[in-house]
């Protein structure tokens, strides 16, 4: 029977996100300095062997998929792009059946597409018997997108370059302990929306209006994109304000938005934020998670193994 590998890959958020100048060498992408944190809400990517020469197939399931459905060009999907890239790098035929179970909100600043790509690399690395070390997978992930190298490892990490250069932060290191003491660990509420924001659109607005550090009407944010995201999606700003008033230790736009992440230090704060978001209709959906989180790889038994 064919082998199957399943990977649960967490969402990402940016505890800090400082945006620098555009770099011509990076096709106009901005220089970034960010602290990544993985959140336990995860997409599951399951890959199975496929007959030789059959190529790749893709199936996507889950709620709130938006426009994320397979079309005639499945090779535009992040997971299939990752499959193609690993096949090219390894010389392995690009034959596999890929099934994505979506739980991470789409186009929400939570790295769902990057998580799918990272999960695919991790799954195929096992399915195809490559067993490449993380250092060998990282450059492939970096060629696919800024957040993808982080999604391979999860936890905490310091990202530089355009986000692709990753220095992992161990939870028991001085920096990891400091993040924990600052309240960037434990229970998290994610405020998600039925609408989405385009990352290029948010960056274009950032280029136009800046990070809002001179706007006294908004509290200072460690996410330089937050000001632009709120200008484009005002409900995110409302969700931040009511979450902080209800007892969240931190609340901010995740990446380029529009999702809002609220760290809650107690049951009382969690109940307060949840109630405030619902009563004020500040968000459309509330997702409970924990931080930090790591990917989980499972080799699933074949039918013959179960006999």
């Amino acid at each position: 029977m064919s082998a199957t590998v399943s990977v649960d890959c967490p969402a990402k958020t940016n505890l800090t996100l400082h945006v620098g100048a555009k770099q011509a060498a990076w096709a106009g992408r901005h220089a970034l300095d960010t602290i990544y944190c993985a959140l336990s809400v995860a997409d599951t990517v399951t890959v199975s062997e496929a007959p030789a020469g059959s190529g790749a197939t893709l199936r996507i399931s889950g709620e709130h998929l938006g426009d994320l459905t397979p079309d005639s060009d499945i090779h535009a999907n992040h997971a299939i792009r990752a499959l193609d890239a690993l096949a090219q790098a390894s010389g392995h035929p690009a034959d596999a059946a890929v099934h994505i179970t979506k739980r991470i909100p789409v186009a929400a600043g939570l790295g769902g597409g990057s998580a799918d790509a990272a999960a695919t690399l991790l799954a195929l690395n096992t399915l195809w018997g490559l067993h490449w070390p993380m250092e060998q997978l990282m450059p492939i992930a970096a060629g696919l997108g800024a957040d993808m190298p982080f999604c391979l490892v999860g936890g905490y990490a310091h990202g530089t370059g355009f986000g692709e250069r990753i220095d992992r932060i161990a939870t028991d290191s001085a920096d990891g302990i400091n993040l924990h003491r600052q309240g960037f660990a434990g229970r998290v509420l994610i405020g998600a929306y039925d609408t989405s924001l385009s990352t290029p659109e948010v960056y274009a607005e950032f280029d136009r209006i800046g990070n809002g550090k001179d706007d006294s009407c908004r509290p200072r944010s460690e996410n330089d994109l937050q000001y632009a995201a709120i200008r484009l999606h005002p409900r995110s700003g409302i969700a931040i304000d009511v979450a902080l008033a209800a007892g969240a230790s931190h609340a901010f736009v995740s990446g380029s938005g529009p999702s809002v992440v609220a760290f809650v230090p107690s049951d009382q704060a969690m109940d307060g934020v949840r109630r405030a978001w619902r009563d004020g209709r500040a968000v459309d959906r509330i997702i409970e998670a924990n931080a930090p989180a790591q990917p989980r790889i499972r080799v699933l038994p074949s039918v013959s193994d179960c006999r």
Side-chain angles (χ1 to χ4, degrees):
M1 302 298 295
S2 64
T4 299
V5 180
S6 184
V7 177
D8 299 324
C9 198
K12 68 87 194 174
T13 193
N14 304 81
L15 305 181
T16 66
L17 179 54
H18 302 301
V19 181
K22 288 183 177 181
Q23 303 293 319
W26 299 337
R29 286 181 284 196
H30 293 75
L32 300 179
D33 191 303
T34 184
I35 300 296
Y36 284 112
C37 176
L39 307 176
S40 63
V41 57
D43 284 355
T44 300
V45 175
T46 302
V47 297
S48 303
E49 291 179 344
S54 63
T57 61
L58 175 64
R59 184 162 61 96
I60 303 175
S61 60
E63 299 180 350
H64 309 291
L65 295 177
D67 60 357
L68 188 65
T69 54
D71 54 24
S72 57
D73 182 17
I74 68 169
H75 294 275
N77 181 274
H78 288 297
I80 302 302
R81 289 177 58 226
L83 185 154
D84 289 339
L86 187 61
Q88 183 175 5
S90 66
H92 193 284
D95 302 321
V98 180
H99 176 208
I100 303 173
T101 304
K102 291 294 295 180
R103 301 181 190 90
I104 303 171
V106 175
L110 293 164
S114 296
D116 296 345
T120 302
L121 292 177
L122 292 171
L124 292 174
N125 191 40
T126 297
L127 182 73
W128 290 348
L130 302 177
H131 305 299
W132 287 3
M134 200 61 66
E135 293 74 18
Q136 201 167 354
L137 292 176
M138 282 281 186
I140 299 172
L144 296 168
D147 297 330
M148 294 178 193
F150 170 71
C151 289
L152 282 174
V153 296
Y156 297 122
H158 180 207
T160 53
F162 55 84
E164 88 290 2
R165 300 174 191 163
I166 298 298
D167 292 310
R168 300 172 73 175
I169 300 173
T171 54
D172 59 353
S173 67
D175 287 341
I177 292 169
N178 187 45
L179 289 171
H180 192 282
R181 287 175 176 168
Q182 291 180 62
F184 292 115
R187 290 175 294 182
V188 178
L189 289 177
I190 300 168
Y193 297 95
D194 295 336
T195 55
S196 60
L197 274 181
S198 157
T199 297
E201 180 184 14
V202 176
Y203 270 99
E205 185 73 357
F206 166 80
D207 289 336
R208 188 178 72 83
I209 66 174
N211 58 20
K213 293 291 170 43
D214 297 328
D215 186 347
S216 60
C217 296
R218 296 292 319 164
R220 186 176 184 275
S221 170
E222 293 298 329
N223 177 357
D224 283 349
L225 297 180
Q226 178 166 294
Y227 186 63
I230 290 173
R231 289 287 292 268
L232 295 169
H233 192 274
R235 289 179 71 200
S236 299
I238 295 170
I240 291 170
D241 292 342
V242 299
L244 292 172
S249 52
H250 302 279
F252 48 85
V253 167
S254 184
S256 58
S259 295
V260 171
V261 170
F263 282 83
V264 286
S266 65
D267 290 341
Q268 182 179 3
M270 175 173 283
D271 292 342
V273 172
R274 193 189 302 273
R275 189 181 314 111
W277 276 354
R278 285 177 174 166
D279 291 349
R281 298 184 179 180
V283 303
D284 295 324
R285 288 177 285 134
I286 300 173
I287 302 168
E288 187 173 338
N290 288 281
Q294 281 81 32
R296 185 165 69 109
I297 304 172
R298 292 166 291 156
V299 178
L300 304 181
S302 67
V303 173
S304 59
D305 294 332
C306 298
R307 292 175 179 172

